[in-house]
Amino acid sequence: MSKAELIERQFVAGMDWRQSVQSIDRKKDALARARKQRANWYTTIGQHTIGIAAVRAKPAKGEPFYSLAAGFAALCGTGYGFAAVRLADQRIWICGAIDAAPAAGNDQVVRSGEIARERLQHFLGQVDGSCAVYTNDPGLLDGLAGTIQQHAADLTDIKQAAVAQAPLTRVGSSVPAPLLGIVLFALVGVAGFKGYQYWQLQQRIKTDAAAAASTHVDAAVVWRRAYDELAQQQVIVGPAGLRQLRDAIAELPTSIAGWRLAQADCAAALEAWSCALSYERVTNVGLDPTNAEFEQLRPRHWQHVQFPTINLASAAITVPSAGHVLDLDALPHVWERQIEGASAIQRVLRAFGSNEQGGYEELVPTIPVDGNGEPVPKPDELQLAVLKSSTTLSGPLRSVDVLVDDSVPMAWRSLRLDVEPIPSDWRESGRPGLIDSLLKATLTGDVYAKR
C-alpha cells in the first residue's frame, strides 16, 4: 500500500485506491481491507471505489481528515481530469480522475514540474476523449498548452469539494467492546503503576544529583562514565553484518525489463543497512524499456521506488546489520591493533585495486562537569584513551568475500557498488583481473583501539 502523506494538516495524499464490485457493502469491504492492510483510515466514493490510508499523525481537535483525491474527483465530476497543484513548499501534488473516481497511481506528491508534466503526458495517453486540467500555476504546463483544457484551482477549491464527500473514517479496533474495556482497564492500571515507578525514579535521580553536587566529585568515576557514553555512540558493524549485506547485494537483479543496475550505496546503522539503488534505462539493445515494466517486475519489498528522470529509476532496501555499540572493556590495546589487526588487513589488500588508510586519532568524550558547572580534569590514574583509524578499500565485488572473516577487525560504515556497462570490445579486452572488474565495490570502515 502506498504511504499516505499529509498536506496542510487535514489533507491526505497517496491513498491506496482499490476497486470492489457494486453488489457488496463498500463501507464494510473498505473497513475489512483497511484492517488487512494495517491502515487506520478509509473512505469510499462513487459506486465502486475504496480508499485506504495509513496515517500516523493526528489532526488538530475538531479538524477531520479529507482525501485530496476524493475531493478532486468530486470537483471534476464525470469524464477525465488531472490536477497539478503547487504546494507552499514548492512540491507539486498531482492526481488523475476518471468518471468521478481517482485514477490509481496518480495521487501523489512529486518534486519537480518535469515529473508532473511527464505524469500528465502519460495520463493523457490513457484518456479516451477530452481532459480538463486543474492547476494553480499555469507555468507548470508549459509545452502542453493547446492540447488540454485548463482551469484555475487550488487546495481551497479541492477542500470545498472534499467536504461534500465522506471524510476519512478511523478504522478502530476489531476487539469486542467488553474485552476491549477489560484490556483498556488493565493497560491503564499498568500505565499508572509504571508512571508511579517513573516518578519515584526521577525523585531518586534528583536526590542523588543534589547529593553529588554538594559533595566532592569522583573524577575517575565521571570520566569513566563519559567514556562509556562515547562508546555508546560508536556503531560497530563487523564481519557478520558485512556478510549479510554481501549476500543481499548478490541477490539484487542486475537487469529488470531493460533497466540495468548502476549503483547500490549502503550505509550502516545499529540495526540495519540502508541501501539506495539506482537503475539506468538501456536504450541501445533494441528494446524500449518503460517505467511501467520496471514497476511491474521489480521486487515487491523495495521501498521508495521513484523515477527521478526518464532514464533513471531508484529504490531503497534495508538489510539486517547485526550491529552493536563499542565495548571498551573488550577493546584491545593500540599496540595489538598495530600488530595483529594491521597484519590481518595487510593480508587482504592484494585483492583490492586501491586503499587509503589513516593514522589513529583520539576520540575525546564530552568533558564532565562538577556540581558548579566547572570542567572536571581527567585524573592521571585513569589510563584510558579511545583511538580510531579509518580505511577505504576499492576493488571487485568478489573481493568483499575476504573481508567477512572474523580476523579483520573493521567496523564497517559504508559499501558502494558501482556497476559499469559491458564494453563493446569485451571479447578482445580479456577477462577481468584480480583487481579489475565491472562490479566495483568501495568500502569504508574504522578500526578502534585504546591506550
Side-chain angles (χ1 to χ4, degrees):
M1 186 176 70
S2 58
K3 179 181 179 182
E5 184 170 0
L6 296 181
I7 299 177
E8 294 188 1
R9 292 188 55 80
Q10 73 267 40
F11 297 120
V12 178
M15 293 188 66
D16 184 27
W17 295 99
R18 296 174 178 269
Q19 299 292 322
S20 68
V21 296
Q22 188 174 3
S23 61
I24 68 172
D25 188 322
R26 294 189 303 281
K27 289 189 176 181
K28 288 184 178 180
D29 187 30
L31 176 60
R33 289 179 185 269
R35 284 175 174 164
K36 184 177 180 180
Q37 297 290 334
R38 297 183 178 179
N40 50 8
W41 300 87
Y42 70 93
T43 188
T44 61
I45 69 170
Q47 294 298 316
H48 309 290
T49 309
I50 291 175
I52 302 169
V55 185
R56 304 198 179 280
K58 294 182 179 179
K61 186 176 182 180
E63 186 178 53
F65 277 140
Y66 292 96
S67 168
L68 277 178
F72 175 66
L75 180 66
C76 67
T78 59
Y80 295 90
F82 190 91
V85 179
R86 188 177 293 279
L87 307 177
D89 59 1
Q90 296 305 307
R91 295 184 301 167
I92 303 165
W93 171 73
I94 62 174
C95 182
I98 301 174
D99 297 332
N106 287 278
D107 176 19
Q108 57 185 288
V109 177
V110 299
R111 297 187 177 275
S112 70
E114 180 184 358
I115 298 177
R117 288 190 292 273
E118 289 177 4
R119 300 296 172 84
L120 172 57
Q121 192 67 54
H122 182 266
F123 185 78
L124 291 175
Q126 304 177 25
V127 171
D128 187 15
S130 63
C131 176
V133 175
Y134 296 77
T135 180
N136 62 349
D137 184 356
L140 278 176
L141 307 175
D142 289 342
L144 294 175
T147 63
I148 52 179
Q149 181 182 4
Q150 298 187 40
H151 302 275
D154 56 19
L155 291 182
T156 302
D157 302 314
I158 297 173
K159 176 184 176 181
Q160 293 175 351
V163 171
Q165 296 291 329
L168 297 188
T169 304
R170 184 177 290 278
V171 172
S173 173
S174 59
V175 181
L179 179 57
L180 182 60
I182 295 174
V183 172
L184 291 176
F185 181 80
L187 291 176
V188 169
V190 171
F193 178 73
K194 291 294 184 181
Y196 177 71
Q197 285 186 320
Y198 179 78
W199 178 82
Q200 283 188 317
L201 176 61
Q202 293 303 310
Q203 295 301 313
R204 187 161 56 250
I205 291 175
K206 290 180 180 179
T207 302
D208 293 343
S214 62
T215 59
H216 175 70
V217 174
D218 188 329
V221 172
V222 296
W223 268 92
R224 174 65 195 208
R225 186 180 301 127
Y227 273 108
D228 287 337
E229 292 176 355
L230 174 66
Q232 292 294 313
Q233 300 169 8
Q234 312 304 313
V235 176
I236 307 299
V237 176
L242 183 61
R243 184 182 299 109
Q244 289 177 295
L245 179 62
R246 173 69 175 90
D247 293 342
I249 289 179
E251 295 177 358
L252 289 176
T254 56
S255 177
I256 300 178
W259 297 74
R260 74 169 192 88
L261 176 63
Q263 188 179 86
D265 196 353
C266 303
L270 191 61
E271 296 182 354
W273 294 86
S274 298
C275 299
L277 311 179
S278 297
Y279 280 80
E280 293 181 348
R281 183 171 176 266
V282 180
T283 58
N284 59 351
V285 290
L287 299 175
D288 292 309
T290 66
N291 294 356
E293 292 169 331
F294 182 91
E295 171 61 21
Q296 180 181 8
L297 297 178
R298 57 98 175 169
R300 293 297 99 188
H301 68 277
W302 285 6
Q303 306 164 352
H304 309 299
V305 179
Q306 298 177 347
F307 299 91
T309 69
I310 198 169
N311 291 322
L312 182 64
S314 63
I317 63 171
T318 57
V319 180
S321 65
H324 57 86
V325 297
L326 188 64
D327 185 353
L328 288 181
D329 295 328
L331 198 60
H333 192 274
V334 64
W335 177 252
E336 181 180 343
R337 281 290 197 229
Q338 290 173 332
I339 300 300
E340 299 298 334
S343 298
I345 297 173
Q346 289 165 340
R347 293 187 187 101
V348 300
L349 290 182
R350 184 184 292 269
F352 296 90
S354 64
N355 69 89
E356 297 179 6
Q357 301 180 52
Y360 282 95
E361 298 181 356
E362 183 175 353
L363 299 180
V364 181
T366 301
I367 299 176
V369 296
D370 58 19
N372 298 320
E374 298 295 331
V376 178
K378 183 178 178 181
D380 295 335
E381 62 270 18
L382 184 63
Q383 299 295 323
L384 178 61
V386 179
L387 309 175
K388 183 174 77 171
S389 172
S390 298
T391 298
T392 299
L393 303 174
S394 182
L397 176 62
R398 61 178 178 273
S399 296
V400 176
D401 295 338
V402 304
L403 299 174
V404 299
D405 190 287
D406 292 337
S407 64
V408 180
M410 196 77 69
W412 298 106
R413 281 191 282 122
S414 66
L415 187 155
R416 189 183 75 242
L417 172 67
D418 293 293
V419 183
E420 298 295 332
I422 299 176
S424 57
D425 60 343
W426 66 273
R427 293 182 182 275
E428 293 77 15
S429 60
R431 297 182 179 179
L434 177 64
I435 60 175
D436 297 321
S437 173
L438 298 180
L439 302 177
K440 179 181 178 181
T442 302
L443 303 97
T444 301
D446 303 311
V447 179
Y448 290 89
K450 67 182 177 182
R451 179 174 62 216

